[in-house]
């Protein structure tokens, strides 16, 4: 525990002084394959040649290149379609030893999910918190319509139920439900959140607001009143969840989520930069299924490819470092929760602002 914390702090200091920069958080798209075609998803913008998905050998090299990785976020496509997903987690457990491994899923492939999660948790090398987050966009009918499968909602709940049975034997497993607010579901999203919270199946809830796939542009078509109410409900439900199984980190996570929701609401309302310098391209990054590297999901993956060059070489390339400096100087902004979260986690001034806002300003707003 102490060894890992020292490792994270050392890398954080290196990032701050600009020497041997590496991300502490990584979004890894493990496949373009997906059993759904959700209306709000950007999967069709990917290269859909599934033969281009990264091999396990290349992923192992990536893990070796990131010895100080704190959070690994696995996504896709549908990650559980990869037969070797347990091996992918294993190589990161051996080489990077992240504090948290999260997997985003549509929850439809119940049996495959159970088997994969069981294998991950039984690995001798695995010493992280495993978070499996199922995504929802509405009540059963509208959720199924959005995913072009009328059984999508029912199957996701079935998967959550089975994961709960596994959790009784593995305390380091957490099960989340992520609810995305889109313009079409504003009339039912609060009821969906209440139903999921009352099901007893989830360790925590999170909320997303539908966003455009370009930077410096906020979506203002969703109801911000609904977003505010959804955020408050979700955060209140989830405030007892201990991120990383740690009380202090859990409390910080709750504070951060409240501040983050308020920041996203302001960004959507004003459609402009709100003062948070982004860590994309320094403390957090993205690797796509074909090996291409990007600072975030909203900028083109033109930094390089880990099939051709090592990740540290790509990340510290002078042209890419210049891009990062320009990104911050230009006050790039968005409402992408993962990158806002990393930016709050990895910078002292935003962390202080977040704590002060929770202690004082939020009390005044009440």
């Amino acid at each position: 525990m102490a060894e890992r914390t020292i490792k994270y702090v050392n890398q954080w200091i290196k990032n701050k002084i600009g020497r041997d920069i590496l991300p502490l958080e990584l979004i890894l798209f493990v496949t373009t394959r997906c059993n759904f075609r959700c209306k709000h998803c950007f999967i069709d913008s990917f290269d859909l040649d599934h033969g281009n998905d990264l091999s396990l050998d290349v992923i192992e090299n990536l893990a070796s290149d990131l010895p100080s990785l704190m959070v690994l976020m696995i996504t896709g496509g549908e990650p559980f379609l990869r037969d070797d997903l347990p091996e992918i987690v294993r190589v990161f457990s051996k080489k990077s030893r992240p504090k948290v491994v999260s997997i985003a899923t549509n929850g439809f492939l119940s049996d495959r999910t159970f088997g994969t999660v069981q294998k991950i948790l039984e690995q001798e090398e695995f010493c992280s918190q495993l978070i499996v987050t199922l995504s929802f966009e509405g009540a059963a009918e509208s959720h199924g319509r959005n995913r072009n499968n009328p059984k999508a909602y029912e199957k996701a709940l079935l998967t959550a139920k089975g994961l709960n049975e596994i959790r009784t034997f593995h305390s380091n497993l957490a099960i989340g439900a992520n609810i995305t607010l889109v313009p079409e579901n504003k009339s039912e999203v609060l009821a969906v959140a209440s139903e999921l919270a009352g099901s007893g199946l989830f360790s925590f809830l999170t909320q997303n607001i539908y966003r455009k796939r370009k930077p410096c542009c906020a979506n203002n078509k969703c109801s911000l009143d609904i977003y505010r109410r959804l955020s408050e409900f979700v955060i209140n439900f989830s405030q007892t969840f201990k991120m990383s199984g740690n009380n202090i980190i859990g409390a910080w996570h709750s504070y951060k989520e409240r501040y983050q929701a308020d920041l996203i609401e302001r960004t959507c309302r004003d459609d402009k930069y709100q003062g948070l310098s982004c860590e994309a391209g320094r403390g957090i990054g993205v690797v796509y299924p074909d090996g291409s590297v990007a600072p975030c999901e909203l900028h083109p993956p033109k930094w390089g490819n880990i099939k051709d060059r090592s990740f540290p070489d790509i990340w510290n390339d002078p042209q890419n470092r210049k891009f990062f400096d320009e990104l911050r100087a230009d006050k790039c902004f968005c409402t992408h929760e993962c990158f806002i979260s990393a930016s709050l986690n990895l910078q002292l001034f935003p962390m202080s602002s977040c704590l002060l806002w929770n202690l004082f300003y939020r009390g005044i707003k009440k």
Side-chain angles (χ1 to χ4, degrees):
M1 173 67 179
E3 179 186 345
R4 280 204 288 190
T5 301
I6 292 170
K7 184 174 62 172
Y8 302 147
V9 172
N10 284 341
Q11 185 59 60
W12 181 83
I13 293 171
K14 288 180 181 180
N15 288 353
K16 288 297 181 184
I17 64 177
R19 190 185 74 190
D20 299 328
I21 299 169
L22 288 174
L24 287 157
E25 302 187 20
L26 180 73
I27 298 174
L28 176 62
F29 286 79
V30 293
T31 184
T32 58
R33 288 179 292 159
C34 191
N35 51 321
F36 287 152
R37 280 295 182 272
C38 303
K39 293 179 181 178
H40 68 285
C41 187
F42 52 82
I43 188 72
D44 286 323
S45 65
F46 284 176
D47 173 6
L48 294 180
D49 181 356
H50 307 314
N52 283 341
D53 285 356
L54 288 172
S55 69
L56 186 61
D57 287 343
V58 174
I59 291 174
E60 185 167 10
N61 290 336
L62 172 64
S64 298
D65 285 340
L66 298 172
S68 303
L69 191 64
M70 186 168 62
V71 178
L72 173 65
M73 292 170 272
I74 296 175
T75 188
E78 172 51 53
F80 287 102
L81 283 171
R82 278 201 69 146
D83 294 332
D84 60 353
L85 188 56
E87 291 305 311
I88 292 174
V89 175
R90 184 194 298 274
V91 298
F92 275 97
S93 296
K94 289 176 65 176
K95 307 290 185 178
S96 303
R97 300 184 68 226
K99 185 80 173 169
V100 174
V101 175
S102 70
I103 305 175
T105 176
N106 57 46
F108 195 80
L109 305 172
S110 300
D111 291 339
R112 181 181 281 263
T113 301
F114 303 152
T116 299
V117 168
Q118 194 77 47
K119 287 179 181 178
I120 291 172
L121 292 168
E122 291 175 352
Q123 291 172 1
E124 184 179 346
E125 301 91 343
F126 190 75
C127 55
S128 308
Q129 181 179 47
L130 177 63
I131 298 175
V132 180
T133 303
L134 292 82
S135 53
F136 295 88
E137 293 84 45
E141 184 178 348
S142 58
H143 181 75
R145 187 167 55 248
N146 180 65
R147 294 180 177 249
N148 296 303
N149 190 311
K151 295 184 178 180
Y153 191 90
E154 174 189 345
K155 286 282 286 184
L157 291 181
L158 179 66
T159 298
K161 183 177 180 181
L163 289 172
N164 261 280
E165 294 174 6
I166 296 174
R167 186 172 58 171
T168 59
F169 301 99
H170 298 277
S171 61
N172 59 333
L173 172 63
I175 305 150
N178 182 71
I179 305 161
T180 300
L181 174 64
V182 296
E184 296 77 15
N185 70 0
K186 64 180 181 181
S187 64
E188 62 183 25
V189 71
L190 294 172
V192 171
S194 180
E195 179 178 340
L196 295 175
S199 69
L201 298 176
F202 298 101
S203 314
F204 64 93
L205 305 179
T206 55
Q207 80 287 354
N208 283 356
I209 190 167
Y210 179 68
R211 58 181 174 267
K212 297 178 181 179
R213 286 217 72 218
K214 56 182 180 179
C216 298
C217 181
N219 171 38
N220 56 11
K221 293 183 179 180
C222 292
S223 167
L224 294 183
D225 176 63
I226 296 294
Y227 177 73
R228 186 184 312 112
R229 291 162 62 190
L230 174 64
S231 299
E232 191 69 21
F233 178 87
V234 162
I235 293 166
N236 285 340
F237 172 79
S238 306
Q239 61 185 353
T240 58
F241 173 61
K242 299 176 183 177
M243 179 67 74
S244 303
N246 183 289
N247 287 325
I248 295 175
I249 296 176
W252 159 251
H253 180 74
S254 179
Y255 280 152
K256 183 199 67 177
E257 289 295 302
R258 292 187 188 279
Y259 184 78
Q260 177 175 300
D262 184 77
L263 187 147
I264 289 173
E265 182 185 336
R266 286 187 277 119
T267 303
C268 289
R269 183 185 63 233
D270 302 337
D271 197 18
K272 68 179 184 180
Y273 178 73
Q274 297 293 326
L276 178 65
S277 297
C278 191
E279 277 290 312
R282 182 170 69 179
I284 183 172
V286 183
V287 174
Y288 286 102
D290 64 352
S292 56
V293 176
C296 77
E297 293 180 28
L298 304 181
H299 286 279
K302 296 180 179 180
W303 277 28
N305 194 297
I306 59 172
K307 292 178 181 177
D308 305 320
R309 302 164 64 191
S310 72
F311 187 94
D313 187 33
I314 294 170
W315 208 243
N316 289 279
D317 183 285
Q319 283 298 112
N320 294 336
R321 300 304 349 131
K322 180 182 178 183
F323 183 95
F324 169 76
D325 292 337
E326 291 173 350
L327 182 149
R328 290 168 71 90
D330 292 342
K331 299 182 178 179
C332 186
F333 70 91
C334 69
T335 59
H336 195 309
E337 292 80 4
C338 294
F339 294 91
I340 294 174
S341 176
S343 299
L344 291 171
N345 283 335
L346 301 175
Q347 299 180 88
L348 290 177
F349 181 73
M351 287 177 71
S352 301
S353 299
C354 174
L355 291 172
L356 289 171
W357 180 88
N358 273 277
L359 291 172
F360 298 106
Y361 179 63
R362 182 168 164 259
I364 294 171
K365 287 181 74 176
K366 284 184 175 181

